[in-house]
Amino acid sequence: LGMGTGLGRPRSLPALPLVGSLLQLAGHPQLHLRLWRLQSRYGSLYALWMGSHYVVVVNSYRHAREVLLKKGKAFAGRPRTVTTDLLSRGGKDIAFASYGPLWKFQRKLVHTALSMFGEGSLTLERIICREAASLCETLSTAQDMALDMAPELTRAVTNVVCSLCFNSSYRRGDPEFEAMLEYSQGIVDTVAKESLVDIFPWLQIFPNKDLALLKRCLKVRDQLLQQKFTEHKEAFCGDAVRDLMDALLQVRLSAENNSPLAPGLELTDDHLLMTVGDIFGAGVETTTTVLKWAVLYLLHHPEVQRKIQEEMDEKIGLARHPHLSDRPLLPYLEATISEVLRIRPVSPLLIPHVSLADTSIGEYSIPKGARVVINLWSVHHDEKEWDKPEEFNPGRFLDKQGQHIHSPSPSYLPFGAGIRVCLGEVLAKMELFLFLAWVLQRFTLECPQDQPLPSLEGKFGVVLQVQKFRVKARLRDAWRAAS
Ligand code: HEM
Ligand code: PLO
């Protein structure tokens, strides 16, 4: 263990046999905050036991960058847990699959497909703008009502990934969409929650409320994925690749016909399904969550909203819609998005990494098989790096002239980094920019009268969720006058 390095282990929380450090972690629903606070007693790098698993917690950007970038390959593994194994059929997806040739291949495939349909082409911009227009339409009809924007934002974002993955989209009130909303919420609420099931693998033989909910939701999701898969297989003709599903089918077809990927490597139906499931799931839950946080912070900070609108009025005006090519013209909007991603990281503990060999972090030795949790919350709220970290201040991402955005500190990794970096970063940023620009060009978002400002406290889970809140979308006078 850490042999030959001559280094000591990180300081460990006291551990009781069997229960591990569970007692210290119990009773706090927000695991990232609990781990953040433990720094004052144990330092920024410490270890703990989850049942029989040795877990190292990283709270500083220097160590985080060492794990993700400098030693990315040594820490590229993923733990297997009961819930993520159910979600991904034993790691046949990308996010919860451990490091290996098949994972590498799946990642590359998706990366290529995404740049083919989306990032590189105008098609994706057209799709996002179509959904943004439809979202604005809905907001107009609900004008001056106290509206729960969540389902509308979710549908807009879902239709973008749906177009990308399956070449399809949902109308308002579509029963398949309603079913998707429900199962996805169930999965977000249960998966990867270091519930007792994940800590004591043998508990899975006992009935467990969460596990039952997860299984029920996965059944619905799997049916939906299977149906899309079957439809695509039947319609697929090999030359017209319409979406990600087609792209995956085509790669497999050519691998079967001429060159097998490698001896012993096979891309099964399960691999294709789980890969699309990842992109669909990540595509919906992450971007929607960030949009909800952005709207919530704009309610709390009308002055930020006003500044975004002034910038837009000046640079774009009201006679045309915002385009992606306007991004360099709207640094304040970009800075606002960056600040939302900092103050409420979607994935506050990333996905746990696992060391694939004996290695080290800083001056400490880390044994092979250790789980490494990067606490992005700590990294983004480090007082040595950020001035008043709990203050929402987009200006911190702007240069002195307010013309360019930059990160004032290296302590900023909203999408992770290195070989496990988020696959959807470019797509997500395109969506966040266009949706917010379209909405704020036309509407001012306000808290409904006589209602207190909604809470900024998140709900910890596989993504840091926003509590339900209502919004009044008021058509801007300037927009009304211009049209
Ligand atoms: C992984 C953030 C949107 C697909 C991750 C990770 C983070 C992250 C922090 C974990 C990195 C690690 O474990 O080291 C975000 C944020 C998003 C976003 C903040 C929105 C603003 C998306 C979208 C997609 C996506 C839209 C799909 C197109 C993935 C996948 C992984 C991942 C597949 C797993 C990568 C791997 O394990 O190799 N993301 N993400 N993400 N993300 Fe995203
Ligand atoms: C979200 C619920 C879906 O029904 C299934 C799903 C698939 C991929 C997961 C995603 C969920 C949550 C966010 C995750 C994503 C893979 C990468 C992403 C974990 C569980 C992040 C932010 O790391």
Side-chain angles (χ1 to χ4, degrees):
L1 298 177
M3 268 183 305
T5 57
L7 305 173
R9 285 289 183 79
R11 195 162 161 203
S12 180
L13 270 66
L16 298 169
L18 251 190
V19 233
S21 311
L22 198 59
L23 291 179
Q24 258 119 352
L25 297 174
H28 205 298
Q30 313 263 45
L31 189 56
H32 59 292
L33 294 180
R34 181 78 191 156
L35 297 177
W36 176 55
R37 284 182 196 139
L38 282 169
Q39 284 185 91
S40 59
R41 226 179 325 150
Y42 297 94
S44 79
L45 185 76
Y46 55 81
L48 55 88
W49 291 86
M50 294 266 196
S52 59
H53 301 294
Y54 184 64
V55 182
V56 177
V57 182
V58 169
N59 291 283
S60 73
Y61 82 85
R62 279 200 183 81
H63 289 151
R65 287 182 175 268
E66 185 178 344
V67 168
L68 299 174
L69 290 161
K70 192 165 154 223
K71 298 182 178 152
K73 212 164 159 183
F75 288 104
R78 295 284 196 212
R80 295 192 62 164
T81 67
V82 174
T83 54
T84 57
D85 263 2
L86 284 170
L87 176 75
S88 63
R89 301 197 179 155
K92 295 199 177 68
D93 68 336
I94 296 174
F96 302 105
S98 208
Y99 182 82
L102 209 46
W103 164 81
K104 255 191 190 160
F105 184 67
Q106 282 163 277
R107 241 192 101 102
K108 209 170 112 206
L109 264 179
V110 170
H111 192 71
T112 312
L114 282 178
S115 43
M116 225 163 69
F117 299 116
E119 295 158 8
S121 75
L122 280 174
T123 326
L124 190 58
E125 174 165 13
R126 224 187 46 233
I127 295 170
I128 302 173
C129 288
R130 179 191 75 202
E131 294 306 322
S134 155
L135 174 65
C136 288
E137 193 88 351
T138 311
L139 292 183
S140 306
T141 56
Q143 256 227 71
D144 302 322
M145 289 188 335
L147 175 75
D148 176 7
M149 277 179 78
E152 302 313 324
L153 294 173
T154 311
R155 196 166 58 86
V157 173
T158 303
N159 279 343
V160 175
V161 265
C162 231
S163 301
L164 216 66
C165 292
F166 309 124
N167 190 30
S168 64
S169 64
Y170 295 118
R171 284 172 204 286
R172 253 191 129 190
D174 188 322
E176 190 179 297
F177 175 67
E178 306 286 332
M180 198 278 300
L181 279 184
E182 195 183 319
Y183 84 63
S184 206
Q185 186 61 50
I187 296 175
V188 169
D189 285 344
T190 52
V191 85
K193 196 153 112 184
E194 288 295 333
S195 62
L196 287 176
V197 190
D198 278 353
I199 296 171
F200 304 108
W202 42 266
L203 270 183
Q204 67 180 296
I205 56 170
F206 295 109
N208 173 297
K209 207 167 96 285
D210 276 0
L211 204 56
L213 173 62
L214 178 62
K215 286 182 176 161
R216 222 167 40 240
C217 291
L218 285 175
K219 216 170 136 191
V220 184
R221 181 198 71 157
D222 288 350
Q223 259 167 13
L224 189 142
L225 285 178
Q226 188 63 50
Q227 184 204 329
K228 301 274 184 211
F229 189 51
T230 311
E231 284 168 10
H232 274 71
K233 257 181 165 168
E234 280 162 4
F236 184 66
C237 62
D239 35 70
V241 172
R242 300 160 299 168
D243 47 38
L244 179 65
M245 192 89 252
D246 275 356
L248 293 175
L249 283 170
Q250 194 193 40
V251 166
R252 195 171 56 181
L253 195 69
S254 60
E256 275 163 8
N257 288 345
N258 25 58
S259 53
L261 303 175
L265 278 191
E266 200 199 345
L267 211 52
T268 63
D269 278 6
D270 272 3
H271 287 99
L272 301 191
L273 276 176
M274 294 301 110
T275 300
V276 182
D278 251 22
I279 302 307
F280 189 60
V284 172
E285 293 299 334
T286 53
T287 313
T288 310
T289 302
V290 186
L291 285 173
K292 287 191 244 175
W293 279 120
V295 171
L296 183 52
Y297 272 98
L298 292 177
L299 295 190
H300 278 256
H301 295 273
E303 77 286 359
V304 170
Q305 203 175 164
R306 213 154 30 239
K307 259 177 120 159
I308 297 174
Q309 289 172 332
E310 279 164 12
E311 185 181 68
M312 289 189 64
D313 290 351
E314 186 191 324
K315 304 280 176 51
I316 295 185
L318 297 154
R320 68 167 180 90
H321 301 307
H323 307 300
L324 266 186
S325 55
D326 296 324
R327 275 174 75 175
L329 297 179
L330 304 176
Y332 194 75
L333 174 56
E334 289 275 19
T336 304
I337 296 170
S338 301
E339 178 69 343
V340 172
L341 289 168
R342 181 193 69 81
I343 201 163
R344 289 295 178 269
V346 177
S347 183
L349 301 179
L350 308 190
I351 301 173
H353 288 242
V354 168
S355 55
L356 299 169
D358 286 350
T359 177
S360 63
I361 305 176
E363 63 213 78
Y364 299 101
S365 85
I366 307 294
K368 177 178 174 180
R371 296 185 175 184
V372 180
V373 168
I374 309 276
N375 192 344
L376 204 55
W377 181 276
S378 304
V379 172
H380 286 182
H381 287 83
D382 186 341
E383 287 191 328
K384 294 191 287 301
E385 296 297 321
W386 301 98
D387 181 34
K388 302 196 191 110
E390 237 333 275
E391 200 172 282
F392 182 73
N393 172 16
R396 64 171 101 235
F397 281 95
L398 290 174
D399 64 4
K400 280 204 189 69
Q401 290 75 39
Q403 291 310 306
H404 294 283
I405 81 152
H406 73 120
S407 177
S409 160
S411 198
Y412 184 63
L413 298 164
F415 295 92
I419 60 176
R420 283 278 181 176
V421 70
C422 175
L423 258 174
E425 177 169 353
V426 177
L427 168 64
K429 285 183 168 162
M430 288 167 76
E431 293 185 80
L432 294 172
F433 175 82
L434 284 171
F435 282 131
L436 289 171
W438 273 68
V439 168
L440 294 173
Q441 188 185 35
R442 293 186 200 194
F443 300 96
T444 298
L445 305 173
E446 291 166 350
C447 188
Q449 268 125 29
D450 316 322
Q451 294 219 3
L453 280 165
S455 162
L456 292 170
E457 198 182 321
K459 203 172 116 208
F460 177 78
V462 70
V463 293
L464 185 61
Q465 301 175 76
V466 189
Q467 298 175 38
K468 255 207 169 83
F469 66 95
R470 292 186 173 270
V471 186
K472 210 173 85 181
R474 194 168 48 77
L475 210 53
R476 296 178 62 208
D477 294 335
W479 176 269
R480 219 191 287 264
S483 49

